Amino acid sequence: MAEFRGFPKAAVTFYEELVRNNEKAWFEAHKSEYQQDVIAPAQQFVLAMGERLKILSPTIIADTRLNGSGSIFRIYRDTRFSSDKSPYKPFLGI
């Protein structure tokens, strides 16, 4: 079974900072924190929950890809039709 140890406090801190600094330059400077503190635990969560959910529904697919096709939503917002042009979502979607 895949092991999920939870999300670190640094993940919450990352999103708190992102709310205050929702711009490309800030995100690029903190992308490694995003990968380590948010994405890595999110992938562990998807794998662990996927194994458990297969017991209930054998056709479930737990997909850790980050390209928009997997179980983890992209951080990038679609701003084309929104009055809010901030480029990043200030939350994790799974």
Side-chain angles (χ1 to χ4, degrees):
M1 277 241 162
E3 187 174 338
F4 174 63
R5 297 177 186 255
F7 287 92
K9 289 182 182 180
V12 174
T13 302
F14 172 84
Y15 279 109
E16 290 171 341
E17 291 293 322
L18 179 62
V19 166
R20 290 190 286 274
N21 303 287
N22 200 324
E23 56 193 39
K24 184 176 180 172
W26 184 90
F27 181 75
E28 290 299 323
H30 295 86
K31 196 169 187 175
S32 63
E33 296 166 32
Y34 172 69
Q35 293 290 337
Q36 176 183 330
D37 299 331
V38 177
I39 292 300
Q43 288 175 319
Q44 292 171 349
F45 176 81
V46 166
L47 290 175
M49 285 304 296
E51 289 177 1
R52 289 166 175 82
L53 290 172
K54 277 196 178 290
I55 296 167
L56 299 173
S57 178
T59 60
I60 197 122
I61 299 171
D63 188 341
T64 60
R65 288 182 294 169
L66 303 173
N67 63 359
S69 297
S71 301
I72 301 169
F73 292 24
R74 297 174 44 172
I75 193 168
Y76 307 102
R77 291 184 65 247
D78 182 357
T79 60
R80 294 175 295 170
F81 307 108
S82 174
S83 59
D84 179 3
K85 299 298 181 187
S86 54
Y88 305 103
K89 297 175 191 171
F91 56 86
L92 174 63
I94 297 179

